[in-house]
Structures are given as C-alpha cells and as structure tokens.
C-alpha cells in the first residue's frame, strides 16, 4: 500500500506548507510519492531534496528584492515572481538546491500544470533538477495574467491550480491508497468567483480554455475540498490545514509575516504528527 503526500498551492501561503513538511523531515516521515500544485510544488520540492528550512531562509532573505516578487518584475519581465531569479539564480547560485539528493530520493514528485490550449491538468513526475524540470515547477506556479505561459516541448502551461487545485483523486487513481493532504485554507473556506474575472477574461482572449477553467475554478475547488472532507471522515486521509485564515497576500515583503505563517504550519503539523505516524504505519 503506497503512501502519498498532496500539497495544494496558494502563493505565499505556501510558507504554511513549508512549515508542515519541515516537521515531516524532522520526524523522518517518508512518502512513496507526492502530487504538488503551484506554490506547493515550488516549495514542496525541498521535501524531496531534504532541505529543511531552505524555503523560509530564501523567502525571508529576498522578499524585498524586486527581482524575486514585485509589480516591477511584472512590468519588466512579464512575471510577478521573476522567472530567472526565482528558478535559476536562487537554486543554482544564491541558495543552492540539492539536486543530487533530489535525484537519489526514490519518492515520486508529480508537478501539476495546466495546458493553456486545452485547459486540462497535466501531471509531470519530476525526477531531476535540470532546466526542463525547473520549467515544470515554474509552469505549475505561473499565475495567469501575472505570469507568462511557460513553453515546454510543443505546449505552453500555466498554474496547475486552475485545473486541479487539490490532486487527491489523481493520487488515488495512480495507486496511492493512503494520503496526507496539506491545505492552505481553513476547513470552512469556500472559494468565490474572483472580482477581477472580467479583467482576466480580457487578458485571456486568445486562450478561451484558460478563461473557462478560471470561471469554473470555484466550483471545482469547493467540490475538491468537500471530497477531502469525505475521505477524511472515512479515515482514508489525514488532513493538515490552518485553523483560521492565514491572511497573507500573494506578494509579501515582510519577513516577519513569512515567519508567522511558517510557524503556523509547524504548529499544525506538530499537533497532527502522532496521527500521521499512526496512519503511515497502518
């Protein structure tokens, strides 16, 4: 019976997830595979490379640097989160990502992205940290309108959360019978339609399937959270989520706020760690 880890996105709410997976590393919790979306992928890959504390360290260090995350970066590069700085300069030079450990770790790491031509979810098992694989990470976390589509092969991709925000059913379909799900919204959260949807439709005129996916996303997301609760009630999954809204913006320039949300993730994981251990041992 295979154990899986499911990591949803949420932009900088991913610091909550970083706190959770760091507690897993400290307690030697091992999963056979993971499926991760957006920030869940960009931050969660450090679980496979076993680099506890790395996400918090570099986000706090660079959160005020315009090339990391800013409207200035968006205006100059087309990406709010600077593609070159975030996915190449940091992991290859400034706070080196441990590619060797990542490659040698047998855990599968499925990254979710959305094909802009079909609006469908695509799942890529990331086995290495070469440029192509880093582009899958970038694609998964590239928000429509605020990021350029990422070209990989003959297709272009954007944020995986548009098509599959919480890929629990995907993990179950490929054979992961027991899953730990990490969410970045509290249990009573209900996603509503974005107020800027008319503007997004204007930005996505050339990609009608993306506009359609974004239009349908609240219903999809709410159905997925309901399914997570159903599985949780049956004892098929363990869910770690915030007790209250994290109240964190998509762009954060205060290191203390990043630390706060990371600490909340740690606290939530520590409350559940014995349950996770029992669940994994069954």
């Amino acid at each position: 019976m295979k154990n899986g880890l499911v990591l949803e996105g949420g932009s900088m709410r991913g610091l909550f997830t970083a706190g959770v997976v760091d507690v897993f590393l400290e307690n030697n919790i091992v999963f056979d595979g993971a499926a991760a979306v957006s920030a869940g992928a960009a931050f969660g890959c450090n679980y496979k490379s076993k680099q506890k504390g790395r996400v918090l360290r570099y986000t706090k260090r660079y959160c005020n640097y315009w090339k990391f995350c800013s409207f200035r970066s968006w205006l100059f590069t087309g990406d709010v989160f600077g593609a070159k700085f975030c996915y190449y300069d940091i992991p290859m030079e400034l706070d080196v990502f441990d590619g060797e450990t990542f490659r040698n770790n047998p855990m599968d790491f499925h990254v979710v992205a959305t094909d802009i031509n079909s609006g469908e979810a695509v799942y890529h098992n990331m086995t290495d940290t070469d440029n192509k694989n880093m582009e899958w990470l970038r694609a998964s976390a590239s928000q429509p309108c605020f990021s350029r589509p990422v070209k990989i092969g003959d297709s272009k991709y954007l944020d995986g959360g548009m098509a599959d925000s919480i890929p629990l059913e995907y993990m179950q379909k490929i054979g992961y019978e027991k899953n730990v799900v990490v969410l970045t919204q509290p249990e009573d959260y209900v996603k509503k339609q974005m107020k800027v949807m008319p503007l997004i439709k204007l930005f996505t005129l050339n990609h009608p399937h993306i506009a359609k996916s974004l239009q349908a996303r609240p219903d999809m997301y709410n159905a997925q959270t309901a399914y997570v609760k159903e599985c949780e009630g049956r004892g098929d999954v363990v869910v770690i989520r915030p007790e209250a809204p994290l109240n964190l913006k998509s762009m954060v320039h205060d290191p203390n706020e990043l630390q706060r949300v990371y600490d909340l993730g740690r606290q939530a994981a520590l409350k559940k760690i014995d349950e996770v251990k029992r669940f994994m041992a069954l």
Side-chain angles (χ1 to χ4, degrees):
M1 185 177 293
K2 293 198 294 185
N3 298 313
L5 175 64
V6 177
L7 305 176
E8 83 156 314
S11 193
M12 298 309 284
R13 293 198 311 275
L15 267 295
F16 179 89
T17 301
V20 172
V21 298
D22 278 358
V23 169
F24 288 169
L25 286 172
E26 292 168 1
N27 285 271
N28 298 312
I29 303 296
V30 177
F31 296 94
D32 298 305
V37 183
S38 194
F43 293 162
C45 62
N46 293 274
Y47 175 76
K48 182 172 164 67
S49 67
K50 300 182 180 181
Q51 289 177 279
K52 184 174 77 72
R54 179 175 176 268
V55 171
L56 181 66
R57 183 173 63 242
Y58 76 71
T59 53
K60 288 178 69 174
R61 181 179 299 164
Y62 297 113
C63 66
N64 282 301
Y65 186 38
W66 75 269
K67 288 186 178 181
F68 179 71
C69 176
S70 68
F71 282 115
R72 181 182 174 187
S73 174
W74 184 46
L75 290 172
F76 280 91
T77 71
D79 299 293
V80 165
F81 287 87
K84 180 178 181 296
F85 188 76
C86 292
Y87 295 95
Y88 294 93
D89 293 351
I90 290 177
M92 296 181 182
E93 297 177 14
L94 301 173
D95 198 322
V96 177
F97 187 71
D98 189 345
E100 182 177 1
T101 297
F102 186 94
R103 286 189 295 274
N104 292 334
N105 188 335
M107 181 185 82
D108 289 334
F109 192 79
H110 300 269
V111 177
V112 187
T114 301
D115 187 314
I116 68 170
N117 290 318
S118 68
E120 298 294 324
V122 176
Y123 306 89
H124 171 75
N125 187 13
M126 184 176 169
T127 58
D128 207 337
T129 58
D130 56 13
N131 288 1
K132 182 177 180 180
N133 280 281
M134 294 305 289
E135 289 294 273
W136 278 105
L137 275 185
R138 183 164 77 91
S140 183
S142 290
Q143 299 173 335
C145 302
F146 297 103
S147 306
R148 295 167 294 166
V150 179
K151 190 175 189 301
I152 304 172
D154 295 327
S155 300
K156 292 182 179 180
Y157 304 91
L158 281 170
D159 185 6
M162 291 188 293
D164 192 352
S165 297
I166 307 169
L168 172 59
E169 290 184 84
Y170 169 74
M171 288 293 279
Q172 292 171 333
K173 287 177 182 177
I174 62 172
Y176 291 85
E177 298 179 20
K178 296 196 300 180
N179 294 279
V180 174
V181 181
V182 182
L183 304 179
T184 59
Q185 296 283 12
E187 186 172 0
D188 60 355
Y189 175 76
V190 176
K191 184 175 283 295
K192 298 178 181 179
Q193 192 58 260
M194 294 181 290
K195 294 179 181 179
V196 295
M197 193 64 206
L199 181 61
I200 289 176
K201 285 183 177 180
L202 182 63
F203 271 90
T204 57
L205 282 175
N206 294 326
H207 303 293
H209 289 291
I210 291 298
K212 185 177 179 180
S213 294
L214 288 169
Q215 185 78 37
R217 189 179 183 190
D219 290 340
M220 178 267 290
Y221 183 88
N222 295 331
Q224 287 188 321
T225 56
Y227 181 69
V228 169
K229 290 179 186 178
E230 178 186 328
C231 292
E232 186 179 21
R234 292 199 303 261
D236 294 339
V237 305
V238 172
V239 183
I240 299 176
R241 54 168 76 87
E243 293 181 355
L246 296 174
N247 295 322
L248 197 68
K249 297 178 180 179
S250 295
M251 288 191 288
V252 182
H253 303 295
D254 182 354
N256 293 324
E257 278 293 278
L258 299 173
Q259 182 73 55
R260 176 184 68 84
V261 172
Y262 172 85
D263 289 342
L264 287 172
R266 288 188 57 85
Q267 292 165 20
L270 287 169
K271 286 181 180 179
K272 289 267 192 171
I273 196 65
D274 289 337
E275 181 181 352
V276 170
K277 288 178 179 178
R278 290 192 298 270
F279 179 72
M280 298 283 284
L282 291 175

